Amino acid sequence: MTLASHLAQHPQRALLHNEIHARPPEPLTAPMAISHIVMWADAAGREASRAHLAALLRERHQPLPDAQTTHLRMDLGAFRIRWELHTEFVTWTFMVPCQSEGFGQREPTGATAAVPRDWLAALPGQNLCSLHLWVLPTQAFGSGSLVPHVLQEDSLVASTVADGHGEVYTDFAIHADGYSRMVLLVGSMTPRRLGRLVQHLQEIETYRMAALLGLPAARDAASVLGQAERELAELADAIRTANRHAEPMLLDRLTRLAGQVESEYAATHSRFSASSAYFELVDRRIQDIAESRLAGMQTIGEFMDRRLSPARSTCDWAARRQESLSRRVSRISHLLRTRVEIEQQENSQALLATMNQRQGLQLKLQSTVEGLSVAAITYYIVGLVSYLAKGGQKMGWPLSAETTAAAAIPVVALAVWLSLRRMHHRMFHE
């Protein structure tokens, strides 16, 4: 037993290690008919697809997928099935060998003809993409000899792929059966390389449709953003000329507008981010098929660049416009709040100045009252001294009551004044 087997294992190690082996390409040989279906589904729909797959396998006594399985491929006799669980959608791929003789002379048959009709119609989710792909040997037909009978010539797109070892033809149109169509003519190519090529072609169509889901959201956001931008312009002009009494109302309107903008941003940001990622995957898969031009034909890369660029730019523009509007609302809100805070500070300073003025008046009034208090206290104490002097005359006090009172006035007044000063000094310093 090696040392590594004794080490504490990360709980996600096996899952992360096997991620590079997830969804491997299916080795293929021509001729073959392939039907690729993409069902857009939420979390419940994706789990329902697992149960739907299990029902098909159970009828054919095949092992069922467990709760951790995200992809499965199996030969069911009449057809091969490939099931993949993605973040936002589920892909179903059905493959059957086909007869190359007479292909193109009649309406071609897709691989779904071998799949139980009722089971196929009950696939969970919403159909986002359906593609019939026929892989045929080049030598059986010659380059492009069958295409006019299968695809629409006015929108035909074609190129050589896999460094010249194959030719792909498509019209990017939905035909009467609800499927788009693609024809791949291959020469000498290993089954594994052919499987990778077919997988890349399927992913181009899948990710193209997934990327375009951001376009309706961008168009819907445009009207909301236009209205919000007009309201923000009105608020900015009103803030410029508003007095302090109107500012609370403007701040309330601006706060409501900020909430509306952030709500719209939260509702669409994930969709725009996903669309951007899907567009990048489309570009990468087009590079992976290594295509080059067929004489007089438009390549898949050129078609995608010309047709998808407006949609991609619209999604990017909507995302940038949302972020710009959010920053502008935040900036104006900050400026208005700063203006309100400055005015509040000015009001506070004016209030403090008024309070200081009132406190000064109170101190002056208090000084006046203290002077009167000294006189009043002195008056009462001198009166007491006069009564004591009158009583003291009978006991031998030499001075008259009036003389004694007169002499006591300055002494009493000074003593009272000093007592009040000492009391104030003690109170304020403590």
Side-chain angles (χ1 to χ4, degrees), residues 80-95:
R80 288 186 60 81
I81 184 173
R82 182 185 179 95
W83 171 81
E84 295 182 359
L85 190 66
H86 296 261
T87 304
E88 296 185 298
F89 54 85
V90 181
T91 61
W92 304 83
T93 306
F94 308 97
M95 294 161 280

Side-chain angles (χ1 to χ4, degrees), residues 233-375:
E234 294 174 0
L235 283 170
D237 185 67
I239 290 171
R240 183 175 58 84
T241 59
N243 55 34
R244 64 179 60 188
H245 300 292
E247 287 173 353
M249 180 188 66
L250 293 175
L251 184 59
D252 179 69
R253 287 179 57 190
L254 194 56
T255 303
R256 292 176 184 273
L257 178 61
Q260 178 186 357
V261 171
E262 292 303 319
S263 175
E264 181 69 20
Y265 180 84
T268 58
H269 177 69
S270 60
R271 183 73 269 145
F272 293 152
S273 299
S275 290
S276 178
Y278 288 134
F279 278 124
E280 292 179 3
L281 286 172
V282 171
D283 295 339
R284 196 173 305 165
R285 294 299 179 265
I286 291 175
Q287 293 176 0
D288 291 339
I289 64 176
E291 66 173 348
S292 56
R293 183 184 298 277
L294 278 173
M297 302 300 295
Q298 185 177 207
T299 66
I300 294 177
E302 292 171 344
F303 178 86
M304 291 293 184
D305 183 64
R306 187 163 61 91
R307 298 297 179 89
L308 285 187
S309 291
R312 177 184 295 191
S313 299
T314 300
C315 294
D316 293 342
W317 168 78
R320 291 195 303 270
R321 190 177 176 188
Q322 281 184 337
E323 293 177 359
S324 175
L325 181 59
S326 179
R327 288 195 299 267
R328 288 166 56 195
V329 170
S330 177
R331 185 168 60 249
I332 293 178
S333 297
H334 179 71
L335 291 174
L336 182 57
R337 287 192 180 94
T338 302
R339 177 174 168 178
V340 171
E341 289 174 359
I342 291 174
E343 292 179 353
Q344 289 177 345
Q345 291 176 0
E346 291 176 352
N347 293 336
S348 299
Q349 291 176 354
L351 180 60
L352 290 174
T354 303
M355 293 176 63
N356 291 334
Q357 184 179 5
R358 290 179 179 176
Q359 187 175 7
L361 293 175
Q362 289 177 353
L363 289 175
K364 291 180 181 179
L365 181 61
Q366 184 178 355
S367 299
T368 302
V369 172
E370 287 179 357
L372 295 175
S373 299
V374 171

Side-chain angles (χ1 to χ4, degrees), residues 187-207:
S188 57
M189 190 180 300
T190 63
R192 189 165 296 277
R193 186 179 184 186
L194 178 58
R196 286 197 301 270
L197 177 59
V198 168
Q199 185 175 12
H200 292 157
L201 293 172
Q202 292 172 343
E203 289 177 346
I204 289 174
E205 186 70 3
T206 299
Y207 295 139

Side-chain angles (χ1 to χ4, degrees), residues 4-318:
S5 62
H6 295 287
L7 300 176
Q9 301 295 310
H10 191 282
Q12 301 291 328
R13 180 191 176 190
L15 179 65
L16 296 176
H17 180 271
N18 294 331
E19 182 63 26
I20 61 172
H21 304 292
R23 304 181 180 92
E26 186 92 1
L28 300 175
T29 56
M32 179 166 287
I34 303 171
S35 296
H36 181 70
I37 300 174
V38 180
M39 300 300 294
W40 196 262
D42 56 13
R46 293 192 295 273
E47 287 303 314
S49 72
R50 192 194 308 274
H52 197 64
L53 174 65
L56 178 67
L57 299 180
R58 190 179 297 110
E59 290 180 358
R60 286 158 175 77
H61 307 289
Q62 298 291 337
L64 306 182
D66 57 27
Q68 284 72 41
T69 301
T70 58
H71 66 280
L72 180 144
R73 57 183 183 180
M74 189 171 293
D75 190 346
L76 299 181
F79 60 92
R80 288 186 60 81
I81 184 173
R82 182 185 179 95
W83 171 81
E84 295 182 359
L85 190 66
H86 296 261
T87 304
E88 296 185 298
F89 54 85
V90 181
T91 61
W92 304 83
T93 306
F94 308 97
M95 294 161 280
V96 296
C98 67
Q99 295 295 327
S100 57
E101 291 79 6
F103 185 89
Q105 304 302 320
R106 59 185 182 275
E107 185 68 16
T109 303
T112 50
V115 181
R117 184 182 301 272
D118 294 340
W119 180 88
L120 184 64
L123 291 180
Q126 297 176 321
N127 182 219
L128 180 66
C129 171
S130 296
L131 170 68
H132 283 321
L133 172 62
W134 293 277
V135 183
L136 305 170
T138 303
Q139 63 270 19
F141 299 96
S143 179
S145 61
L146 77 158
V147 172
H149 304 286
V150 181
L151 303 173
Q152 299 177 6
E153 289 190 80
D154 55 349
S155 58
L156 189 62
V157 175
S159 63
T160 63
V161 292
D163 299 320
H165 288 85
E167 298 176 5
V168 60
Y169 297 84
T170 184
D171 55 10
F172 290 107
I174 298 177
H175 291 256
D177 58 356
Y179 287 77
S180 55
R181 295 179 177 182
M182 190 176 291
V183 178
L184 176 61
L185 304 180
V186 294
S188 57
M189 190 180 300
T190 63
R192 189 165 296 277
R193 186 179 184 186
L194 178 58
R196 286 197 301 270
L197 177 59
V198 168
Q199 185 175 12
H200 292 157
L201 293 172
Q202 292 172 343
E203 289 177 346
I204 289 174
E205 186 70 3
T206 299
Y207 295 139
R208 173 181 75 92
M209 294 299 297
L212 288 173
L213 286 174
L215 184 58
R219 289 171 176 169
D220 293 340
S223 60
V224 177
L225 291 173
Q227 181 180 357
E229 287 172 341
R230 288 190 296 270
E231 185 174 357
L232 182 61
E234 294 174 0
L235 283 170
D237 185 67
I239 290 171
R240 183 175 58 84
T241 59
N243 55 34
R244 64 179 60 188
H245 300 292
E247 287 173 353
M249 180 188 66
L250 293 175
L251 184 59
D252 179 69
R253 287 179 57 190
L254 194 56
T255 303
R256 292 176 184 273
L257 178 61
Q260 178 186 357
V261 171
E262 292 303 319
S263 175
E264 181 69 20
Y265 180 84
T268 58
H269 177 69
S270 60
R271 183 73 269 145
F272 293 152
S273 299
S275 290
S276 178
Y278 288 134
F279 278 124
E280 292 179 3
L281 286 172
V282 171
D283 295 339
R284 196 173 305 165
R285 294 299 179 265
I286 291 175
Q287 293 176 0
D288 291 339
I289 64 176
E291 66 173 348
S292 56
R293 183 184 298 277
L294 278 173
M297 302 300 295
Q298 185 177 207
T299 66
I300 294 177
E302 292 171 344
F303 178 86
M304 291 293 184
D305 183 64
R306 187 163 61 91
R307 298 297 179 89
L308 285 187
S309 291
R312 177 184 295 191
S313 299
T314 300
C315 294
D316 293 342
W317 168 78

Side-chain angles (χ1 to χ4, degrees), residues 365-392:
L365 181 61
Q366 184 178 355
S367 299
T368 302
V369 172
E370 287 179 357
L372 295 175
S373 299
V374 171
I377 294 172
T378 301
Y379 174 78
Y380 286 110
I381 293 177
V382 170
L384 293 176
V385 171
S386 177
Y387 283 115
L388 290 173
K390 288 180 180 179

